[in-house]
Structures are given as C-alpha cells and as structure tokens.
Amino acid sequence: MPTLLFGILFFQAPGVLGLDAFPAGFRGSLLVLITVGTFGIPSILIYYLFRSGYIPSLYLDNRLDRRLPYFLTGIIYSVLTFLFATRMQLVSETSPEISVILGSITISILLVGIISLYWKISAHSVGIGGVLGSLISITVKFGETDLIFVLALLTGLAGLVMSARLHLNAHTLAQVNVGLLMGLMVSVLAVSLLI
C-alpha cells in the first residue's frame, strides 16, 4: 500500500510533496527505495520467520502469529521514516511531507501490532484506509482535483479488498470496518495536522 500511495503522489501530484522540480527518474528512485523498505525487507523478514518456525504460516491467520511480524515491520518502517526525515537531506529539506506520511503508516502498523495482541483487526483494511485517507486529505487541503478519478478507483478497490477479506473468512465485518476507520483516521490526522 505505501508503494501505491507514493506512486500516485510522486507521479500524479508531485507538487504537493515539493517534488515537481525533480525529474521522473529521481522520483522513481525514491519510489524504489520506499518499495524495498516497506515491502521487500518486511516480506523477506516474514519469510525468514516462517522458515525458522517462529510463525506457522505466511498467511498469519492466527492473531497471536501476527504480533512479531507486525512489530518487526513497525521497526523497519520507523527506520525508513527516520532515514527520510533526517539522513536524506535533499529529500528531508524539500519534501518533509514524505516522512510525515511514512510516519503515519508506521503508526498504523504499530497500532495493528498492538491491537493484534487482543483482537484480529484487518491490516488490509487499515492499509487501504490509509491510502484513501491520505489522498482524500491531500485532495481537500490542496485542491488536487487531478486525484478525484484516482480516489474513485481506490474507493472501489477498498470495497473489493474488504469484500475479499470477508469472502475468505479471514475477518469479520467489524474487523474490516474498524481497520478501514483506523487507517482513515491516522492518515487524515497526519496530513491535516502536519502537512
């Protein structure tokens, strides 16, 4: 989901992030870095946990199996956010919004980990809710009408993702709805208050 969100922002609304002066190749390189940090490394880590026997399934069906992967993923996201906020000077000075959005994603992952100690919230719904919330807030705050069609498509995608989780009996209606609301709330608050 972070790759989807940043891909849309980098190439549909780069001005909001202060990246419109940079060539598409530079924005593409940033997107690759975000993809490696938010998808590649966590995927390898979860596969390692599976192969080592720490988790019995890659699907993380059991609520208790989700704790370690989500907290470790939260640590990876925290490091990535820190790098974008402080160590990548060109990006942190011209586009601090990237680290704000990455920070909101990190908070969402950590909240999923905490909630998973007690209840099985839908991480898929949290993710798509975060994408929607960020884009809705940016559209409203900055008047980015170019994102309206993308928002319509993503709203349909959110419905499909949530329906699929229900159809697979992976979650209850409450779990997908609370996940969507949490993702929306965290991202809307982050964009509204910090960007």
Side-chain angles (χ1 to χ4, degrees):
M1 292 297 170
T3 301
L4 174 64
L5 174 60
F6 283 106
I8 292 166
L9 290 175
F10 287 177
F11 297 101
Q12 289 289 117
V16 170
L17 301 178
L19 294 175
D20 48 344
F22 294 99
F26 177 78
R27 289 180 267 150
S29 297
L30 287 178
L31 188 59
V32 168
L33 181 61
I34 288 171
T35 303
V36 168
T38 62
F39 177 74
I41 295 171
S43 297
I44 292 168
L45 176 70
I46 292 171
Y47 183 71
Y48 171 77
L49 291 173
F50 168 69
R51 295 292 294 173
S52 301
Y54 286 104
I55 55 173
S57 168
L58 291 174
Y59 294 107
L60 303 175
D61 294 323
N62 185 338
R63 175 182 58 83
L64 298 176
D65 295 338
R66 305 170 102 209
R67 295 178 301 181
L68 184 60
Y70 283 125
F71 284 122
L72 292 175
T73 300
I75 291 169
I76 293 165
Y77 278 40
S78 297
V79 169
L80 186 65
T81 302
F82 174 77
L83 291 174
F84 269 90
T86 63
R87 297 294 179 215
M88 297 173 61
Q89 265 186 327
L90 178 63
V91 175
S92 64
E93 289 174 5
T94 53
S95 187
E97 298 85 0
I98 294 174
S99 58
V100 169
I101 294 170
L102 279 171
S104 73
I105 295 168
T106 302
I107 289 168
S108 293
I109 288 287
L110 292 172
L111 285 173
V112 168
I114 292 167
I115 292 169
S116 291
L117 295 173
Y118 308 101
W119 192 57
K120 188 180 173 189
I121 191 169
S122 172
H124 288 85
S125 295
V126 172
I128 195 69
V131 172
L132 277 172
S134 295
L135 293 176
I136 289 169
S137 296
I138 287 169
T139 300
V140 170
K141 190 169 186 172
F142 298 101
E144 284 293 326
T145 56
D146 293 344
L147 295 177
I148 291 176
F149 180 70
V150 173
L151 276 170
L153 290 175
L154 286 173
T155 302
L157 179 63
L160 290 173
V161 166
M162 293 169 64
S163 296
R165 302 309 291 161
L166 292 171
H167 181 72
L168 294 170
N169 290 322
H171 293 286
T172 65
L173 184 60
Q175 292 166 343
V176 295
N177 285 336
V178 170
L180 181 72
L181 288 174
M182 189 178 88
L184 280 167
M185 278 190 349
V186 170
S187 60
V188 165
L189 285 173
V191 171
S192 299
L193 299 176
L194 301 173
I195 294 181

